């Protein structure tokens, strides 16, 4: 499954410096980090709202949640790319956390902030 992330990463890198008139990704990069963060926030809210609608259980609301989650992930990848980071770093962090209690991991992060 990480193959799609690798392909998307390559496409994002390729489009980053494309013409901002013809590439949505290039236009986001051209507008800067604040615009990208605005889009991440917007997509996060839309994902939450779509998730609240899934309680009805029909396939249309489930598909809407999938689509909004895809938008959120996409814009998160654009954000990482803009900051010179990579989706593999996120996957590595998830792998590091795998098998660790969520409570323990959160406590370790909070302890490190002291």
């Amino acid at each position: 499954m990480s193959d799609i992330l690798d392909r998307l990463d390559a496409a994002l890198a390729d489009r980053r410096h494309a013409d901002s008139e013809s590439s949505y990704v290039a236009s986001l990069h051209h507008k800067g980090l604040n615009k990208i963060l605005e889009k991440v926030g917007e997509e996060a809210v839309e994902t939450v709202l779509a998730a609240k609608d899934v309680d009805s259980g029909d396939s249309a609301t489930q598909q809407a949640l999938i689509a909004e989650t895809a938008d959120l992930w996409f814009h998160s990848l654009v954000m990482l790319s803009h900051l010179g980071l990579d989706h593999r770093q996120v996957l590595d962090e998830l792998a590091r956390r795998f098998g660790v209690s969520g409570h323990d991991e959160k406590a370790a992060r909070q302890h490190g902030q002291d």
Side-chain angles (χ1 to χ4, degrees):
M1 184 49 79
S2 70
D3 178 55
I4 188 64
L5 291 175
D6 290 337
R7 290 173 38 212
L8 186 53
D9 185 61
L12 290 175
D14 187 50
R15 294 178 188 160
R16 180 173 182 163
H17 301 292
D19 177 24
S20 62
E21 295 294 319
S22 63
S23 168
Y24 176 68
V25 171
S27 72
L28 285 174
H29 285 292
H30 179 74
K31 292 173 185 172
L33 181 60
N34 284 344
K35 182 62 176 178
I36 295 167
L37 296 176
E38 179 182 307
K39 288 301 295 180
V40 171
E42 176 186 316
E43 298 302 341
V45 169
E46 290 175 3
T47 300
V48 168
L49 294 174
K52 290 178 73 66
D53 291 341
V54 171
D55 284 344
S56 66
D58 66 58
S59 63
T61 59
Q62 292 172 351
Q63 185 54 44
L65 174 58
I66 297 300
E68 292 300 344
T69 302
D71 289 346
L72 176 58
W73 288 11
F74 174 82
H75 287 90
S76 295
L77 291 171
V78 172
M79 174 192 66
L80 290 172
S81 171
H82 190 81
L83 295 170
L85 300 170
D86 190 286
H87 71 277
R88 288 174 206 89
Q89 292 168 278
V90 176
L91 294 176
D92 289 345
E93 178 62 15
L94 289 171
R96 183 192 68 76
R97 294 181 186 187
F98 193 76
V100 175
S101 159
H103 294 297
D104 292 343
E105 193 280 328
K106 184 176 179 181
R109 278 189 288 138
Q110 289 175 341
H111 181 70
Q113 295 174 0
D114 294 341

